[in-house]
Amino acid sequence: MAGYAKMKIKQLYIYPIKSLRGIPLSSAYLTPTGIPNDRRYMLFKVGPPSETAQDLASRLQKLTVTFFPQLGLFTQQIVHPEGNRTTLRVTYTPPPSSEAEGETTLSLDLIPRTEGLKEVDVSLHGSPTRAFDMGKQMNQWFSRCLGWEVILVYMPEGTTRPVLGNLSPSSAASTNGNHEANANGWFSTFTNYIPTYLKTKDENEDTEEGITFADCAPYLIITKESVEDVSARLPDRREMDVTKFRPNIVLEGAEEAYEEDFWGAISILSSGNTATPTMQQTDQSPVDLTLTQNCIRCQSLDIDYATGTYFNSDEGTVLKKLMRDRRVDAGKKWSPVFGRYGFLNGKEGAKVEIGAEVVVTKRNEERTTFCECSEARKGGTAASWAD
């Protein structure tokens, strides 16, 4: 690990209902499928029946903040009562232009009981799964807030979606490795892939590579230094809202902005909350994350969370500003890059906290190349961004 700068975890976030505003955490338990309760819920818009779409599953349209900025009007909060039941409180704040009468709130179980709930087939970016329809009361609340018929679905623990393209570690490892950074480095250029769901059980038995309703990977890692570079591009050096990048882990202490483009793996060395933690000062083993791809960015960076629309001012040109010099992924050459997608190494999870020490353990000589899965393209464009 010599020669690598030591960083710290600055912030941790989860998004229990996908595409709604995030929840900051002081600590988190990292698992192969992500932080528990992250993006286990998701909203779908219900279209009218037609000759080609009679059943519910064929009438569902995914709701993501990228295309439905109104979702930015919803905040989430985890409430821990005295009993065993943990509640997710969702608050809708109508935009100033709305005639609605102020805030309205919905409370639901963070981990609901699914007995008696109807199962429904859903798909996100061509990656299918089965989920539970949360029922009339919750569906009607969201429908009233948004002005369209929607359903809220829940993906229970133990249920996942396939990881598409060359995002997963096993898919990346099976691709062309002509540009290894070093003997321990990760492959830096990917030209082929084997989608996870096409592999045999034996090929997957040593790793769990399913995901929740996260777009591409269980974890998205960004750095404070890169966020500060974006802030420097805004009018009056206004501070960029870090939550618009929708990260799970924010690190501070990188040597320069965007150096994470080249990271192949990181290790979290301690649980945090010590002045100068070292491997010898903690009984916890390092938590290792493999970083497979850069995150491609979209118009969600330009959303005004106060109005649920895109900014009309210079604040709404973050994506355009990044277009100037951040279109650095050959697989998505028309879109800018910000952050790295990550997967936990191994099946055992571990707790991490703000302040935990982090080092880069693998560094690529070249940037990785994002590769979409052809199966995902059949139903439209596969996502490469974070919602």
Side-chain angles (χ1 to χ4, degrees):
M1 297 179 189
Y4 293 115
K6 290 182 179 179
M7 299 172 288
K8 293 183 183 295
I9 294 178
K10 178 177 174 58
Q11 293 162 303
L12 296 163
Y13 291 96
I14 62 169
Y15 313 81
I17 302 179
K18 178 182 177 65
S19 277
L20 306 194
R21 305 272 289 278
I23 299 175
L25 303 175
S26 59
S27 64
Y29 192 79
L30 306 190
T31 77
T33 55
I35 299 173
N37 307 309
D38 184 34
R39 298 175 174 96
R40 283 283 171 186
Y41 284 102
M42 185 171 174
L43 290 162
F44 286 83
K45 185 177 181 180
V46 182
S50 67
E51 292 183 2
T52 58
Q54 290 291 331
D55 64 304
L56 177 63
S58 62
R59 294 160 49 205
L60 296 180
Q61 178 184 6
K62 62 180 181 289
L63 290 184
T64 64
V65 72
T66 300
F67 300 107
F68 295 89
Q70 301 93 325
L71 298 179
L73 298 170
F74 295 87
T75 58
Q76 306 179 81
Q77 179 186 6
I78 295 175
V79 180
H80 299 282
E82 294 182 359
N84 294 326
R85 180 180 172 184
T86 302
T87 300
L88 178 64
R89 181 179 297 161
V90 183
T91 300
Y92 172 73
T93 303
S97 60
S98 171
E99 297 180 358
E101 298 180 359
E103 292 184 347
T104 178
T105 299
L106 173 73
S107 293
L108 61 155
D109 288 340
L110 183 63
I111 305 175
R113 298 178 61 120
T114 57
E115 295 88 348
L117 296 180
K118 181 181 177 181
E119 282 192 272
V120 59
D121 292 314
V122 295
S123 180
L124 176 60
H125 312 311
S127 172
T129 192
R130 289 184 67 78
F132 289 93
D133 183 340
M134 290 304 297
K136 183 177 180 179
Q137 177 185 357
M138 297 179 195
N139 295 343
Q140 287 184 341
W141 186 84
F142 280 103
S143 297
R144 285 194 300 270
C145 292
L146 291 169
W148 336 291
E149 183 183 358
V150 302
I151 64 168
L152 176 69
V153 303
Y154 177 75
M155 184 192 302
E157 196 71 32
T159 304
T160 58
R161 298 168 38 239
V163 181
L164 299 178
N166 63 346
L167 269 295
S168 73
S170 64
S171 294
S174 65
T175 59
N176 189 343
N178 292 329
H179 300 285
E180 277 192 311
N182 52 53
N184 296 318
W186 200 252
F187 299 147
S188 61
T189 301
F190 304 117
T191 57
N192 300 302
Y193 61 86
I194 302 174
T196 303
Y197 58 87
L198 296 181
K199 296 179 181 179
T200 66
K201 181 178 179 180
D202 289 342
E203 289 171 323
N204 277 324
E205 64 184 1
D206 292 331
T207 184
E208 183 177 357
E209 293 181 341
I211 52 177
T212 61
F213 286 124
D215 280 314
C216 294
Y219 299 97
L220 178 62
I221 295 93
I222 68 173
T223 69
K224 172 178 174 282
E225 288 70 26
S226 296
V227 176
E228 289 175 343
D229 177 83
V230 176
S231 297
R233 304 175 188 221
L234 298 179
D236 303 320
R237 296 182 64 90
R238 193 168 299 136
E239 185 175 352
M240 177 66 186
D241 183 348
V242 67
T243 65
K244 291 187 179 179
F245 294 109
R246 309 194 73 79
N248 296 110
I249 302 173
V250 183
L251 303 180
E252 66 174 336
E255 294 178 350
E256 60 184 20
Y258 308 118
E259 71 165 83
E260 62 269 25
D261 288 3
F262 298 93
W263 294 350
I266 60 173
S267 284
I268 303 172
L269 302 183
S270 74
S271 61
N273 294 337
T274 58
T276 55
T278 67
M279 291 292 292
Q280 290 73 32
Q281 290 173 319
T282 177
D283 294 330
Q284 179 179 308
S285 299
V287 181
D288 297 323
L289 293 170
T290 295
L291 309 185
T292 61
Q293 295 295 335
N294 292 316
C295 180
I296 313 301
R297 291 301 169 169
C298 62
Q299 199 175 357
S300 63
L301 299 179
D302 295 335
I303 293 173
D304 180 356
Y305 284 160
T307 64
T309 59
Y310 298 107
F311 274 111
N312 291 321
S313 64
D314 198 41
E315 289 184 79
T317 59
V318 175
L319 184 66
K320 183 178 180 181
K321 293 177 188 299
L322 291 177
M323 288 282 193
R324 293 201 303 261
D325 58 351
R326 293 297 300 154
R327 291 186 295 172
V328 294
D329 191 308
K332 283 285 190 176
K333 62 182 180 180
W334 303 115
S335 299
V337 158
F338 194 102
R340 291 287 281 169
Y341 285 121
F343 293 78
L344 183 72
N345 290 0
K347 294 184 177 182
E348 297 298 324
K351 182 181 179 181
V352 301
E353 300 177 359
I354 289 177
E357 195 170 82
V358 181
V359 296
V360 177
T361 54
K362 296 178 183 177
R363 199 181 298 266
N364 303 324
E365 289 182 349
E366 299 179 5
R367 290 183 177 92
T368 50
T369 301
F370 194 97
C371 178
E372 292 180 352
C373 174
S374 59
E375 288 293 319
R377 291 198 194 103
K378 290 181 180 179
T381 302
S384 52
W385 49 82
D387 279 317

